[in-house]
mmCIF file of all heavy atoms in Angstrom:
data_model
loop_
_atom_site.group_PDB
_atom_site.id
_atom_site.type_symbol
_atom_site.label_atom_id
_atom_site.label_comp_id
_atom_site.label_asym_id
_atom_site.label_seq_id
_atom_site.Cartn_x
_atom_site.Cartn_y
_atom_site.Cartn_z
ATOM 1 N N ALA A 297 -0.270 5.907 -10.925
ATOM 2 C CA ALA A 297 1.007 5.365 -11.397
ATOM 3 C C ALA A 297 1.950 5.111 -10.217
ATOM 4 O O ALA A 297 2.626 4.075 -10.164
ATOM 5 C CB ALA A 297 1.649 6.318 -12.399
ATOM 6 N N ARG A 298 1.978 6.027 -9.252
ATOM 7 C CA ARG A 298 2.820 5.832 -8.065
ATOM 8 C C ARG A 298 2.313 4.655 -7.232
ATOM 9 O O ARG A 298 3.110 3.893 -6.677
ATOM 10 C CB ARG A 298 2.888 7.117 -7.244
ATOM 11 C CG ARG A 298 3.719 8.203 -7.935
ATOM 12 C CD ARG A 298 3.992 9.392 -7.035
ATOM 13 N NE ARG A 298 2.817 10.057 -6.513
ATOM 14 C CZ ARG A 298 2.145 11.039 -7.123
ATOM 15 N NH1 ARG A 298 2.539 11.472 -8.287
ATOM 16 N NH2 ARG A 298 1.088 11.581 -6.548
ATOM 17 N N ALA A 299 0.993 4.504 -7.144
ATOM 18 C CA ALA A 299 0.423 3.382 -6.394
ATOM 19 C C ALA A 299 0.797 2.058 -7.050
ATOM 20 O O ALA A 299 1.151 1.089 -6.360
ATOM 21 C CB ALA A 299 -1.093 3.527 -6.296
ATOM 22 N N GLU A 300 0.739 2.014 -8.359
ATOM 23 C CA GLU A 300 1.122 0.793 -9.087
ATOM 24 C C GLU A 300 2.598 0.494 -8.881
ATOM 25 O O GLU A 300 2.976 -0.662 -8.652
ATOM 26 C CB GLU A 300 0.804 0.941 -10.580
ATOM 27 C CG GLU A 300 1.177 -0.264 -11.403
ATOM 28 C CD GLU A 300 0.438 -1.543 -11.034
ATOM 29 O OE1 GLU A 300 -0.723 -1.463 -10.604
ATOM 30 O OE2 GLU A 300 1.038 -2.627 -11.188
ATOM 31 N N ALA A 301 3.441 1.519 -8.948
ATOM 32 C CA ALA A 301 4.880 1.323 -8.728
ATOM 33 C C ALA A 301 5.146 0.820 -7.311
ATOM 34 O O ALA A 301 5.989 -0.066 -7.102
ATOM 35 C CB ALA A 301 5.633 2.627 -8.988
ATOM 36 N N PHE A 302 4.422 1.354 -6.339
ATOM 37 C CA PHE A 302 4.586 0.908 -4.961
ATOM 38 C C PHE A 302 4.169 -0.549 -4.819
ATOM 39 O O PHE A 302 4.855 -1.347 -4.183
ATOM 40 C CB PHE A 302 3.784 1.792 -4.005
ATOM 41 C CG PHE A 302 3.819 1.306 -2.585
ATOM 42 C CD1 PHE A 302 4.982 1.395 -1.836
ATOM 43 C CD2 PHE A 302 2.699 0.752 -1.993
ATOM 44 C CE1 PHE A 302 5.022 0.943 -0.524
ATOM 45 C CE2 PHE A 302 2.732 0.296 -0.685
ATOM 46 C CZ PHE A 302 3.901 0.390 0.046
ATOM 47 N N GLN A 303 3.062 -0.893 -5.421
ATOM 48 C CA GLN A 303 2.580 -2.276 -5.345
ATOM 49 C C GLN A 303 3.601 -3.222 -5.981
ATOM 50 O O GLN A 303 3.872 -4.304 -5.453
ATOM 51 C CB GLN A 303 1.222 -2.390 -6.031
ATOM 52 C CG GLN A 303 0.489 -3.646 -5.692
ATOM 53 C CD GLN A 303 -0.972 -3.591 -6.127
ATOM 54 O OE1 GLN A 303 -1.376 -2.765 -6.918
ATOM 55 N NE2 GLN A 303 -1.760 -4.488 -5.588
ATOM 56 N N GLN A 304 4.186 -2.826 -7.084
ATOM 57 C CA GLN A 304 5.214 -3.655 -7.724
ATOM 58 C C GLN A 304 6.449 -3.780 -6.838
ATOM 59 O O GLN A 304 7.049 -4.855 -6.747
ATOM 60 C CB GLN A 304 5.576 -3.087 -9.092
ATOM 61 C CG GLN A 304 4.489 -3.281 -10.121
ATOM 62 C CD GLN A 304 4.819 -2.625 -11.455
ATOM 63 O OE1 GLN A 304 5.848 -1.987 -11.633
ATOM 64 N NE2 GLN A 304 3.918 -2.784 -12.418
ATOM 65 N N ALA A 305 6.838 -2.678 -6.182
ATOM 66 C CA ALA A 305 7.987 -2.726 -5.283
ATOM 67 C C ALA A 305 7.728 -3.691 -4.123
ATOM 68 O O ALA A 305 8.615 -4.461 -3.731
ATOM 69 C CB ALA A 305 8.310 -1.329 -4.753
ATOM 70 N N MET A 306 6.516 -3.668 -3.591
ATOM 71 C CA MET A 306 6.192 -4.581 -2.492
ATOM 72 C C MET A 306 6.186 -6.033 -2.979
ATOM 73 O O MET A 306 6.584 -6.941 -2.247
ATOM 74 C CB MET A 306 4.852 -4.212 -1.852
ATOM 75 C CG MET A 306 4.879 -2.885 -1.081
ATOM 76 S SD MET A 306 6.021 -2.833 0.319
ATOM 77 C CE MET A 306 7.407 -1.927 -0.394
ATOM 78 N N GLY A 307 5.758 -6.242 -4.213
ATOM 79 C CA GLY A 307 5.823 -7.586 -4.786
ATOM 80 C C GLY A 307 7.257 -8.057 -4.949
ATOM 81 O O GLY A 307 7.582 -9.219 -4.671
ATOM 82 N N ALA A 308 8.126 -7.154 -5.393
ATOM 83 C CA ALA A 308 9.550 -7.493 -5.531
ATOM 84 C C ALA A 308 10.154 -7.800 -4.164
ATOM 85 O O ALA A 308 10.929 -8.756 -4.012
ATOM 86 C CB ALA A 308 10.294 -6.340 -6.204
#
Side-chain angles (χ1 to χ4, degrees):
R298 289 190 302 273
E300 180 62 32
F302 175 71
Q303 196 167 16
Q304 288 176 358
M306 291 298 101

